[in-house]
Amino acid sequence: MSYINETIDINAFYFAGSKGRIFPRQIQLGDEQYNFEEGLQYIVKKGQRVIKFFDMNDGHKIYRIACEDGNWTLIGTK
């Protein structure tokens, strides 16, 4: 994995599954936009903290994204 650890903006979301889970559809990193076709969501709880991790696929790479307290971070790509 290539680590990036940069704050990102989410430009669009989509809902999936019977529970209506929210996934990022498009992110903004600097001047670049990335659109995703599909992804997986992982939820990690540490005490009172909840962190959601997403592995999103744009058809070429997988992007690992984290969301904690409404703050989005691109962890890296592979």
Side-chain angles (χ1 to χ4, degrees):
M1 176 173 281
S2 298
Y3 292 97
I4 298 171
N5 289 320
E6 294 277 338
T7 301
I8 56 172
D9 292 318
I10 306 296
N11 296 338
F13 294 93
Y14 72 93
F15 299 93
S18 60
K19 295 182 181 181
R21 292 183 182 170
I22 298 173
F23 289 83
R25 167 74 70 196
Q26 182 184 77
I27 64 170
Q28 182 82 32
L29 177 63
D31 294 334
E32 297 291 325
Q33 286 186 352
Y34 301 94
N35 297 296
F36 303 119
E37 298 175 357
E38 61 184 359
L40 297 172
Q41 181 185 93
Y42 311 91
I43 299 174
V44 176
K45 294 182 182 181
K46 292 178 111 180
Q48 296 296 321
R49 292 176 52 195
V50 175
I51 305 169
K52 291 183 180 181
F53 290 97
F54 299 86
D55 282 347
M56 303 304 298
N57 185 337
D58 71 350
H60 304 286
K61 289 184 182 178
I62 295 175
Y63 297 77
R64 167 88 30 104
I65 300 170
C67 180
E68 183 177 8
D69 296 328
N71 299 310
W72 293 86
T73 304
L74 177 59
I75 306 261
T77 62
K78 61 178 179 176

